């Protein structure tokens, strides 16, 4: 059993409460304790001559008897000092037994070695990354790439890669976890090295190692950067001692037994120390003088011994554990009185040393003991710490000097998940959703038992969390009786330093850096405590936010973090006048904020701000990581198992070998699913519990309110740290996507609709807010808006916004694409149209199988069922129609980006084609392929936006009064023809690339881009009801030099013989009607388009045959001359002169300055500038 978990050695728990009540009644009767009675009861002397005068000698004699019974120990086979420590490169703790890796692969070793006998040391894992633990000889030389096990005469175990190392490597052992204890044992007589995980042998790792007079082995560990361990050579009792193996440091057995005897003396007095209480609730009298005198003499012998870490962990901690686990109803009073006595009888330096060793031992035992019996031992250690923190002097000293040294406090808050063996005991039956359920009743039974096990696990973990919150509340005490700073003040100062250590982007490993799981646990306990404090003070949710004053007057230290508007120093200069007029800087930081609830004092605001920082820099990352593990690991194994079962069911009975292989695969996947389902129980019970979801929702509400209040106080909004914006975005993403296993979904919360409405308003207003200067922050808001429009419920929120806000949002989306990030906003516009476009109703592209996993929110959102917004489409049409300048700029910018994106795509596929025909072997980077596919996807998105514009505002292209419509229509048709020629021609580069089936280019296909082009053409040619407008559009397309009617005719072939029931057409022959995603109405529209183009083609050919070529524009030879220039009288088509006038005002032919341009038909002056 672990040293800290031994049973009672002090007799306290076995004493019944009747004895205590009897003593109390004696005091109530006014009877004084007699010296002799007390001494006899406490020390049980063999004679009755014991008194206070000879008590010290009696105790000394009793202790000497123990010393005599324990002969001196020897360390044959070991060379080194009595107190062993580590040396080498690393970040050390004070005792040089704890170390954190620095550099690429740093190695440390002990200053002692063994050459004979059987020895062991324990490695307590503070992390679970890449490390190699074991033994090495003096001749081993290590560097930043070679560590323990990489050289001859060094032997190591690596639980990260589950391998053993001695120059060569082999599979060995088990995967380790943070909080595991790895025992490294060496038998120098037999030449065997063995490793143990949590007291269980993993088998002999190395045998017949080199031994001899010139060969000795040092304990050594190699650590990757940031990995941390603590080594125990015997300075404290081993967590998992091994039979026949001895520690490298001598265990002080005599001192341990002496201390246990002295503590037994103390335990026999403890019931007498409880004060009787009068009816008015006051204590009747102080402890008797005799008790004090006796305790003074006991502690005179006890204190020097319990200062030793070994004695502290082996004697005092079990003694305290015995008290808190005792069944006496006065255990809390006894514990408190004992701490009072320690502070009363000991010197300050003595009690503080004891406190330091006590808290360190509690942390070691809490972190590294097994989660047996549902965390029973962990509860005891936390309970001891809680009772200790209820003592004001102990609490203040611990906060100021102990709890935040080497991040001890956060580690007390973290709860280590059970390992596989214990998890198997806690969750004996597992369940998962499967396509193959042979027995539904049995499946339902397993599901019920599995969720009951999860609930039981959650119940016991919650008991630990309650203790952790109780400890945190004590540390946040703000009404201490003693003078000086309150505990909360001290805590906030240390907590801010902890935050600073954990938000640094430096690659240097820092002392107080916490892992993401620790930060997540700290965040949840912090929020739970804050919720309770706010509730106790009756502070309404509307008043829980950080006032903007705190961002301006430096009452909160943000360590030079970026603000929404940039650097704080810059903002102070820019807004100096507004700051001075507001009086914020003159307002005392201790006083209530000018823009907040006076009932919320400064310390609570700082605590709330700290919770926001914790979420931003740690908690959200861990939640996202756990969510990804769920989707990528568990679901992947379940899918693989279902596939294996399907194949097994389809396999012929005659294929015996295939059946055996499939059965083996099925068994492997089933074992993995069972293992992962047990791990999933921890996620269900702890990470995704209802309380954790409430914590994130509460913080999201508070942060959103902080941003809302700051936004209206221009310019002070710019002073807000930018992580408040990202926490808003990340918080909503977490609530929506990271708690899918929670028994109560976020949508069932009473304030869900209100939060959704407020968040929708926030992103609609802020996605284009010029006050947000960080590109990454602004992109995060835009991406959140992109996801928001993909879900019907959230899209309804945006549609319900006030008309003016909705119009402002649309104008921001339609702002010209130049000089800003536009890809996401274009995606938003396309998503608002998806479901209405030509063949634009698919969730997955027709030629792609549905994606099973999407780790990013934007990926999951894009796979939602289309939900087009008629409200926003109408608003877009109204804005474009009413503002011709904005419409022209927007369409030109879209066409510019379309030409750029598609040109980049064509250039890259040409390079790929050249590589494919080379005789030598060529490699293409995946990044290049993804960029190529992205350019294609962007082109399709831009085309879909153009399709929407042609539907909601066709006059932009077809107006007979707008001077820019002809130019825009011509540019549009020019781009469409260019793209169509590239993708629809036979035996071209596009076809070649499709036939290669390159990875990363799965979205590149005919269907998305051809249907987008057809949608635009149908809107411009078939939908107009005015014959003149339709003829204008037909004429513009027919006169486009790059237009090839045959290409459209081929893709809209009326020959349906090739469909043959297939879901989609062969990539090498794209025929529209072969796709079931194209409905009958769309096929009819496509055929009408071909019909109208065919008629126009016939008329054009007839006119061409008549020989009327002299009237053609000599610039483009596509359109007829329609305008005349003045004063030179030269002529051209209107499109050519419009393009020319955009660049300069000189004639094509004579380079004379053009003063005006007139229509040749009616002589009217035209505005072509």
């Amino acid at each position: 059993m672990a040293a800290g978990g031994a049973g009672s050695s002090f007799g306290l728990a076995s004493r019944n409460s009747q004895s205590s009540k009897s003593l109390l009644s004696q005091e109530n009767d006014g009877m004084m304790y007699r010296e002799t009675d007390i001494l006899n009861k406490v020390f049980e002397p063999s004679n009755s001559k014991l008194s206070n005068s000879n008590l010290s000698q009696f105790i000394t004699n009793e202790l000497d008897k123990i010393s005599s019974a324990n002969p001196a120990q020897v360390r044959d086979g070991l060379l080194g000092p009595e107190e062993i420590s580590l040396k080498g490169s690393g970040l050390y703790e004070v005792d040089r037994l704890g170390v954190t890796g620095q550099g690429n692969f740093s190695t440390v070793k002990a200053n002692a070695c063994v050459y004979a006998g059987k020895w062991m040391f324990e490695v307590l894992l503070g992390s679970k990354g890449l490390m190699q633990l074991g033994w090495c000889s003096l001749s081993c030389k290590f560097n930043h790439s070679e560590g323990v096990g990489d050289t001859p005469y060094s032997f190591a175990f690596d639980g990260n890669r589950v391998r053993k190392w001695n120059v060569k490597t082999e599979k060995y052992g088990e995967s380790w976890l943070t909080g595991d204890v790895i025992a490294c044992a060496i038998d120098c007589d037999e030449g065997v090295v063995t490793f143990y995980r949590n007291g269980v042998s993993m088998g002999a790792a190395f045998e017949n190692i080199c031994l001899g007079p010139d060969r000795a082995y040092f304990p050594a560990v190699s650590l990757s950067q940031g990995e941390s361990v603590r080594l125990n050579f015997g300075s404290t009792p081993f967590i998992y001692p091994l039979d026949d193996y001895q520690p490298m440091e001598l265990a002080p057995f005599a001192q341990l037994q002496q201390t246990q005897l002295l503590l037994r003396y103390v335990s026999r007095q403890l019931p007498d120390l409880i004060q009787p209480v009068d009816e008015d609730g006051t204590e009747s009298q102080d402890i008797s003088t005799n008790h004090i005198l006796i305790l003074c003499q006991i502690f005179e012998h006890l204190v020097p011994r319990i200062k030793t870490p070994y004695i502290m962990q082996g004697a005092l901690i079990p003694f305290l554990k015995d008290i808190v686990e005792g069944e006496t109803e006065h255990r809390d009073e006894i514990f408190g009185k004992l701490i009072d006595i320690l502070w009363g009888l000991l010197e300050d330096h003595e009690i503080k040393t004891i406190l330091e060793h006590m808290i360190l031992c509690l942390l070691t035992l809490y972190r590294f003991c097994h989660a047996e019996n549902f965390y029973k031992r962990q509860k005891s250690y936390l309970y001891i710490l809680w009772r200790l923190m209820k003592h004001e002097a102990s609490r203040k000293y611990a906060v100021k000097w102990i709890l935040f040294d080497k991040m001890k406090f956060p580690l007390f808050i973290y709860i280590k998940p059970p390992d596989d063996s214990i998890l198997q005991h806690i969750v004996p039956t597992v369940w998962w959703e499967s396509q193959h359920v042979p027995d539904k009743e049995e499946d339902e039974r397993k599901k019920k038992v599995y969720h009951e096990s999860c609930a039981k696990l959650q119940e016991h973990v919650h008991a630990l969390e309650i203790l952790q919150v109780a400890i945190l509340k004590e540390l946040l005490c703000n009404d201490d009786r003693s003078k000086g700073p309150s505990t909360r003040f001290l805590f906030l100062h240390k907590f801010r330093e902890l935050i600073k250590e954990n938000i640094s982007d430096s690659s240097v490993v820092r002392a107080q850096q916490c892992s993401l799981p620790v930060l997540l646990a700290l965040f949840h306990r912090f929020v739970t405590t804050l919720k309770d404090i706010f509730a106790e003070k009756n502070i309404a949710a509307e008043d829980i936010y950080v006032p903007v004053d705190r961002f301006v007057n430096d009452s909160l230290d943000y360590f030079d973090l970026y603000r929404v508007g940039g650097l704080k120093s810059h903002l102070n200069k820019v807004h100096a006048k507004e700051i001075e007029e507001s009086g914020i800087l003159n307002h005392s930081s201790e006083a209530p904020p000018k823009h907040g609830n006076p009932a919320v004092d400064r310390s609570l605001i700082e605590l709330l701000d700290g919770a926001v920082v914790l979420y931003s820099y740690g908690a959200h990352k861990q939640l996202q990581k756990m969510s990804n593990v769920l989707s990528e690991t568990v679901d992947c194994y379940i899918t693989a198992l279902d596939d294996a079962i399907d194949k097994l069911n389809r396999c012929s009975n005659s294929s015996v070998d295939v059946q055996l292989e499939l059965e083996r695969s099925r068994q492997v996947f089933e074992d993995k699913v069972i293992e992962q389902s047990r791990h999933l129980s921890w996620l269900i019970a702890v990470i995704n519990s209802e309380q954790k979801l409430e914590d994130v929702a509460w913080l999201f509400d508070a942060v959103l309110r902080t941003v809302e209040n700051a936004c209206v106080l221009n310019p002070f909004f710019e002073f807000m740290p930018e992580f408040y914006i990202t926490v808003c975005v990340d918080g909503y993403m977490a609530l929506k996507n990271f708690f899918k296993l929670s028994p109560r979904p976020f949508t069932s919360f009473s304030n869900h609709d209100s939060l959704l409405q407020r968040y929708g308003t926030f992103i609609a207003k802020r996605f284009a807010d010029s006050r947000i200067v960080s590109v990454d922050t602004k992109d995060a808001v835009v991406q959140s808006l992109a996801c928001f429009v993909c879900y019907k419920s959230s899209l309804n929120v945006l549609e319900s916004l006030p008309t003016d806000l909705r119009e402002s949002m649309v104008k921001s989306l339609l702002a010209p694409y130049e000089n800003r990030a536009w890809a996401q906003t274009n995606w938003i516009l396309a998503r608002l149209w998806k479901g209405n476009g030509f063949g634009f109703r698919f969730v997955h592209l027709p030629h792609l199988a549905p994606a099973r996993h999407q780790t990013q929110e934007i990926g999951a959102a894009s796979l939602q069922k289309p939900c087009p917004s008629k409200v926003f489409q109408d608003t877009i049409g109204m804005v474009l129609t009413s503002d011709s300048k904005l419409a022209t700029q927007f369409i030109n910018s879209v066409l510019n980006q379309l030409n750029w994106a598609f040109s980049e795509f064509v250039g890259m596929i040409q390079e790929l084609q050249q590589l494919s025909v080379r005789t030598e072997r060529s490699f293409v980077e995946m990044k290049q392929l993804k960029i190529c596919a992205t350019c294609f996807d962007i082109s399709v998105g831009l085309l879909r936006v153009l399709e929407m514009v042609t539907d909601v505002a066709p006059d932009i292209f077809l107006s007979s009064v707008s001077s820019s419509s002809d130019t825009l229509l011509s540019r549009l048709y020019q781009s469409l023809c260019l793209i169509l020629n590239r993708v629809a021609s036979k035996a071209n580069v596009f076809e070649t690339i499709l036939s290669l089936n390159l990875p990363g280019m799965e979205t590149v296909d005919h269907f998305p881009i051809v249907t987008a082009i057809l949608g635009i053409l149908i809107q411009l040619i078939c939908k107009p009801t005015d014959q003149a407008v339709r003829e204008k559009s037909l004429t513009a397309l027919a006169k486009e030099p790059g237009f090839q009617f045959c290409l459209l005719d081929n893709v809209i072939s009326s020959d349906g013989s090739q469909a043959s029931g297939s879901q989609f057409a062969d990539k090498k022959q794209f025929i529209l009607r072969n796709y079931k995603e194209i409905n009958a109405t769309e096929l009819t529209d496509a055929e009408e388009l071909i019909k109208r183009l065919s008629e126009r083609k016939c008329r054009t050919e007839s006119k061409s045959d008549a020989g009327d070529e002299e009237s053609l524009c000599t610039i483009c030879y596509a359109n007829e001359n329609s305008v005349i220039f003045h004063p030179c009288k030269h002529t051209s088509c209107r499109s050519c002169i419009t393009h020319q006038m955009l660049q300069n005002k000189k004639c094509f032919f004579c380079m004379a300055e053009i003063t005006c341009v007139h229509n040749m038909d009616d002589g009217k002056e035209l505005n072509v500038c």
Side-chain angles (χ1 to χ4, degrees), residues 291-501:
H291 281 103
I292 296 297
L293 292 174
I294 294 170
L295 287 170
C296 282
Q297 297 192 61
I298 295 175
F299 276 91
E300 184 179 352
H301 296 275
L302 181 62
V303 170
R305 289 170 171 80
I306 60 177
K307 288 181 181 179
T308 307
Y310 193 100
I311 305 302
M312 176 66 70
Q313 184 170 321
L316 184 59
I317 297 299
F319 171 70
L320 298 176
K321 185 169 176 283
D322 189 38
I323 293 177
V324 300
E325 291 181 353
E327 297 179 359
T328 172
E329 58 184 337
H330 301 293
R331 64 173 184 174
D332 292 346
E333 297 175 71
I334 291 173
F335 192 101
K337 189 61 65 177
L338 179 61
I339 302 302
D340 286 335
I341 292 171
L342 285 172
W343 277 92
L345 297 181
L346 275 59
E347 297 291 337
D348 281 355
H349 69 90
E350 293 177 323
I351 185 63
K352 290 174 181 177
T353 301
I354 291 172
L355 276 177
E356 290 174 8
H357 289 312
M358 185 186 301
I359 292 176
L360 180 58
C361 286
L362 284 173
L363 178 63
T364 300
L365 293 169
Y366 172 76
R367 290 181 68 193
F368 298 107
C369 69
H370 251 191
E372 297 170 331
N373 298 322
F374 291 102
Y375 295 99
K376 180 180 179 181
R377 284 186 287 170
Q378 283 89 338
K379 291 175 187 175
S380 296
Y381 301 136
L382 285 179
Y383 195 90
I384 292 173
L385 181 64
W386 173 51
R387 296 308 307 180
L388 192 60
M389 292 301 100
K390 290 188 75 68
H391 188 272
E392 183 175 326
S394 301
R395 178 173 67 238
K396 283 191 171 183
Y397 184 80
V399 171
K400 191 172 183 179
W401 301 109
I402 305 174
L403 286 177
F404 287 91
D405 178 35
K406 303 294 188 298
M407 70 175 189
K408 293 181 180 65
F409 168 69
L411 296 176
F412 273 117
I413 298 301
Y414 176 63
I415 301 175
K416 181 177 70 172
D419 62 17
D420 291 344
S421 59
I422 295 179
L423 203 56
Q424 187 173 358
H425 173 72
I426 297 174
V427 187
T429 301
V430 298
W431 173 87
W432 63 88
E433 290 187 11
S434 174
Q435 299 176 0
H436 304 278
V437 182
D439 188 340
K440 290 187 178 181
E441 291 185 3
E442 177 64 15
D443 186 68
E444 286 297 322
R445 185 195 68 80
K446 286 184 177 181
K447 180 179 180 179
K448 180 181 178 182
V449 173
Y450 177 70
H451 285 292
E452 287 175 351
S453 299
C454 294
K456 189 175 181 180
L457 176 60
Q458 180 181 350
E459 177 186 346
H460 288 278
V461 170
H462 186 58
L464 278 180
E465 294 173 347
I466 291 174
L467 280 172
Q468 292 169 334
V469 170
I471 294 169
L472 191 53
K473 286 182 178 179
E474 295 298 332
L475 300 180
L476 293 176
C477 178
N478 206 30
D479 54 359
D480 298 317
R481 297 180 181 180
S482 62
K483 295 181 180 179
S486 67
T487 309
R488 183 183 294 182
F489 177 86
L490 296 172
F491 179 90
L492 286 172
H493 175 70
K494 293 291 186 177
F495 180 67
R496 213 69 190 176
E497 291 181 353
L498 175 72
I499 288 176
K500 184 178 181 179
E501 291 286 319

Side-chain angles (χ1 to χ4, degrees), residues 794-814:
S794 52
L795 181 59
N796 290 339
V797 169
L798 296 177
E799 291 178 338
S800 66
L801 294 175
T803 303
D804 57 342
L805 177 56
R806 201 167 59 244
E807 290 180 7
S808 174
M809 173 183 166
V810 166
K811 288 180 180 179
S812 297
L813 289 172
L814 297 177

Side-chain angles (χ1 to χ4, degrees), residues 499-646:
I499 288 176
K500 184 178 181 179
E501 291 286 319
N502 283 277
I503 65 176
S504 173
D505 294 329
S506 172
S507 59
V508 177
V509 179
R510 298 176 182 269
Q512 295 197 65
Q513 280 186 334
C514 302
S515 64
L516 292 181
V518 173
L519 290 177
L520 177 61
L522 185 59
F523 161 76
H524 281 301
R525 263 26 119 241
F526 222 78
V527 170
T528 301
T529 305
L530 273 176
K531 289 193 296 185
D532 291 346
I533 293 176
F534 280 117
E536 290 167 3
K537 291 181 173 291
N538 296 317
I539 298 175
E542 292 74 18
D543 295 320
I544 302 176
Y545 61 91
V546 180
V548 71
D549 307 40
R550 303 304 184 189
F551 304 138
V552 182
N553 61 18
D554 291 327
S555 59
L556 293 173
D557 186 3
Y558 289 110
F559 329 112
D560 295 327
L561 291 176
Y562 274 91
R563 309 301 178 96
V564 168
L567 287 174
K568 175 72 161 43
S569 56
H570 169 73
L571 295 174
N572 285 337
K573 295 177 182 178
V574 173
H575 302 296
K577 182 179 179 181
E578 293 91 337
I579 294 173
E580 183 178 357
E581 292 175 351
S582 70
I584 288 179
L585 294 184
N586 299 326
H587 196 61
S588 172
S589 62
E590 296 294 336
K594 296 183 67 174
H595 302 286
N597 184 359
V600 184
D601 62 38
R602 176 178 180 267
S603 62
L604 289 179
I605 292 173
E606 189 168 349
L607 289 170
L608 176 59
D609 180 76
V612 179
V613 180
L614 281 176
Y615 185 84
S616 175
Y617 287 91
H620 181 79
K621 296 176 184 177
Q622 179 64 10
L623 283 173
Q624 186 174 30
K625 179 180 177 181
M626 297 299 290
S627 175
N628 291 347
V629 167
L630 167 66
S631 61
E632 293 181 356
T633 306
V634 182
D635 289 352
C636 279
Y637 281 127
I638 292 175
T639 302
L641 176 60
D642 288 338
D643 289 345
I645 294 174
D646 285 337

Side-chain angles (χ1 to χ4, degrees), residues 716-946:
F716 300 137
F717 168 69
E718 298 179 42
F719 285 82
M720 184 172 65
E722 65 179 6
F723 65 76
Y724 270 80
I725 302 292
T726 58
V727 168
C728 266
V729 174
D730 292 342
Y732 175 75
M733 180 170 69
L735 292 171
K736 187 172 183 61
N737 298 320
F738 295 169
F739 290 88
K740 295 180 180 178
L741 296 178
S742 176
R744 182 187 176 197
F746 174 55
T747 53
S748 67
F749 281 33
S750 59
N751 63 341
H752 169 265
D753 293 343
S754 171
L755 286 175
L756 195 64
Q757 185 72 37
R758 289 166 54 202
Y759 182 68
T761 303
F762 158 72
I763 57 176
K765 287 182 176 180
R766 303 300 152 216
F767 82 95
D769 194 329
S770 60
R771 294 177 295 178
I772 303 176
V773 299
S774 170
V775 175
D776 292 339
T777 302
K778 190 172 290 187
D779 283 349
V781 181
V782 174
Q783 181 169 321
S784 185
L785 178 61
C787 298
F788 217 69
V789 302
C790 293
Y791 299 88
K792 186 63 179 176
S793 58
S794 52
L795 181 59
N796 290 339
V797 169
L798 296 177
E799 291 178 338
S800 66
L801 294 175
T803 303
D804 57 342
L805 177 56
R806 201 167 59 244
E807 290 180 7
S808 174
M809 173 183 166
V810 166
K811 288 180 180 179
S812 297
L813 289 172
L814 297 177
Y817 284 178
E818 283 78 14
N819 301 320
R820 74 178 180 96
W822 53 268
Q824 288 284 9
T825 54
N826 187 84
W827 194 89
I828 293 170
L829 291 171
R831 189 71 199 191
L832 293 172
W833 173 245
K834 190 171 186 178
N836 290 139
F838 185 89
F840 199 37
R841 294 173 302 279
F842 52 82
V843 174
H844 308 277
L845 284 170
H847 66 287
L848 293 180
R852 288 179 176 139
H853 308 294
Q854 293 291 336
T855 58
Q856 297 181 353
E857 187 192 8
I858 190 70
S862 65
L863 299 180
Q864 300 302 308
K865 184 178 179 181
C867 48
S869 174
K870 187 67 168 63
V871 173
F872 274 100
Q873 291 173 21
D874 292 344
T875 305
I876 291 169
M878 182 272 294
V879 169
L880 290 175
T881 303
S882 61
D883 191 341
S884 60
K885 182 178 179 181
L886 172 65
T888 301
Q889 291 176 338
F890 173 69
I891 297 301
N892 275 320
S893 66
V894 172
L895 291 172
N896 290 341
Q897 301 302 337
L898 176 62
N899 292 334
W900 165 81
F902 194 76
S903 296
E904 289 291 315
F905 170 73
V906 171
M908 282 186 277
I909 63 174
Q910 287 174 340
E911 291 180 10
L912 292 174
Q913 184 194 35
Q914 292 173 3
L915 289 174
S916 67
V917 298
R918 288 181 181 176
T919 55
E920 66 273 16
R921 192 172 184 179
S922 304
F923 296 94
V924 181
E925 292 185 5
M926 179 61 71
K927 182 179 179 181
Q928 182 180 355
L929 296 176
K930 289 184 177 179
I931 293 175
C932 182
T934 300
C935 289
F936 179 83
D937 295 339
I938 289 174
S939 301
V940 173
L942 291 165
L943 287 170
R944 287 300 183 181
V945 171
L946 290 169

